[in-house]
Amino acid sequence: MQRPPDYHTHNRLCKHAEGVPADYVRAAVARGLPEIALTDHCPTNDGFGIDHRMSLEEFPIYRDWCREAAQIDGIKVLFGLEADYYPGCERFLAPFLDQHPFDIILGSVHFLDYWATDRTRRSLSGCRDTPYVWATYFARIRALAESGLYDVVGHFDLPKRYGHEVTREMLGEQALPALDAIAEAGMSIEINTSGWTHSINESYPSLPILRWAHERGIGLVLGSDAHSADRVGDGFERAIALAREAGYTHLMRYDRRSPTAAPLPIEEKT
Ligand code: ZN
Ligand code: FE
Ligand code: FE
Ligand code: ZN
């Protein structure tokens, strides 16, 4: 099968991944991918999530590593970031994103309230109040879309990773307004295949959400969310089958933050 691009990859600057961008690009070439996006966790200037990202001072290293990796033959390399959405992030993020020639910005919500003094409500995994987690999470995703700062929403139903079960009713009430905001903003979502390697053993997002996204005309990309180079392009045949099941016939390609649709790779009959 012809392979689609991998639009979600990390490297060791974020402190919880291995390798440098060139390792991921070489892995993508070896797997026959036509394109890869380098999307490490975006720095912040206010201390938000500092344990899980490069520092602002390290950003020039990331930029240089990405430039070097883009010299590797046989593949197109996109310069990107996975940037957290949180209330107030716009103050730093909006001018920062304008200062650099990014191709793609993933928008993700990893923390509900990083600033809370009540540490139990700090992360998606730390809070056990499941209805609160989903309601707050999807409200943040909606605000993320309305901010106009991002191109693609990362791992749309991430709280399920931490044991938060979601009902169809909760999804209907909370995920649909977020999807409407994403459609309104002309953004895409990803099938993030890392969910198949987590204990939930399900893609982000699930098939019902992908169907709703397709009904709303929301574009789709694929991302491995590789934190080690061996996961580049992981699970993509399964992701393509899932995309088709949800009704998708195209994936979005990004270049200097502008999307175009390209047909889904054709499955070879064996
Ligand atoms: Zn990460
Ligand atoms: Fe993420
Ligand atoms: Fe990621
Ligand atoms: Zn991620």
Side-chain angles (χ1 to χ4, degrees):
M1 191 194 286
Q2 187 208 329
R3 306 224 158 228
D6 187 340
Y7 274 175
H8 192 154
T9 63
H10 293 279
N11 70 77
R12 65 178 161 83
L13 280 179
C14 70
K15 307 174 182 72
H16 60 273
E18 297 164 14
V20 296
D23 298 327
Y24 292 74
V25 173
R26 280 192 210 97
V29 172
R31 257 144 247 175
L33 270 55
E35 210 172 298
I36 183 172
L38 304 168
T39 59
D40 204 17
H41 297 283
C42 184
T44 57
N45 74 337
D46 52 14
F48 180 92
I50 45 168
D51 301 333
H52 310 278
R53 65 199 63 250
M54 68 185 93
S55 67
L56 201 49
E57 293 68 38
E58 287 171 318
F59 179 76
I61 301 173
Y62 178 60
R63 193 193 51 211
D64 289 348
W65 281 359
C66 289
R67 278 197 195 130
E68 282 167 34
Q71 304 302 312
I72 293 170
D73 284 336
I75 188 164
K76 179 171 173 178
V77 177
L78 303 192
F79 180 40
L81 286 170
E82 178 182 21
D84 282 69
Y85 174 79
Y86 55 96
C89 70
E90 299 91 337
R91 284 192 295 271
F92 166 73
L93 200 54
F96 181 72
L97 296 183
D98 280 343
Q99 275 166 29
H100 303 281
F102 294 113
D103 291 301
I104 185 168
I105 302 297
L106 311 182
S108 298
V109 173
H110 296 104
F111 304 98
L112 289 187
D113 191 356
Y114 205 87
W115 310 109
T117 45
D118 173 6
R119 289 178 65 91
T120 58
R121 290 213 162 171
R122 192 172 160 201
S123 63
L124 294 173
S125 55
C127 179
R128 297 327 302 166
D129 184 347
T130 287
Y132 170 85
V133 169
W134 282 109
T136 310
Y137 176 83
F138 279 127
R140 291 285 159 80
I141 295 288
R142 186 175 168 180
L144 181 164
E146 289 169 352
S147 77
L149 289 174
Y150 311 84
D151 303 307
V152 179
V153 177
H155 38 63
F156 180 83
D157 56 357
L158 181 66
K160 70 186 180 185
R161 175 176 181 180
Y162 305 105
H164 297 297
E165 285 181 39
V166 69
T167 62
R168 204 55 187 231
E169 289 68 35
M170 285 156 68
L171 281 183
E173 282 169 25
Q174 293 155 10
L176 289 183
L179 287 170
D180 287 338
I182 293 166
E184 177 70 24
M187 294 172 65
S188 302
I189 62 168
E190 62 167 356
I191 294 181
N192 183 310
T193 63
S194 72
W196 282 315
T197 72
H198 299 153
S199 55
I200 182 82
N201 192 20
E202 189 178 278
S203 63
Y204 307 109
S206 60
L207 179 59
I209 292 172
L210 277 176
R211 287 205 169 106
W212 284 333
H214 178 254
E215 282 168 13
R216 283 162 179 74
I218 294 170
L220 185 69
V221 306
L222 305 189
S224 65
D225 209 348
H227 285 69
S228 61
D230 60 288
R231 278 207 65 251
V232 171
D234 188 28
F236 277 17
E237 296 192 13
R238 202 172 168 186
I240 290 168
L242 188 70
R244 287 194 189 284
E245 210 179 333
Y248 279 98
T249 56
H250 288 72
L251 295 175
M252 303 311 289
R253 301 276 182 108
Y254 280 82
D255 190 331
R256 293 305 282 265
R257 308 206 56 194
S258 157
T260 41
L264 267 169
I266 310 294
E267 281 170 80
E268 286 163 19
K269 296 274 174 274
T270 46

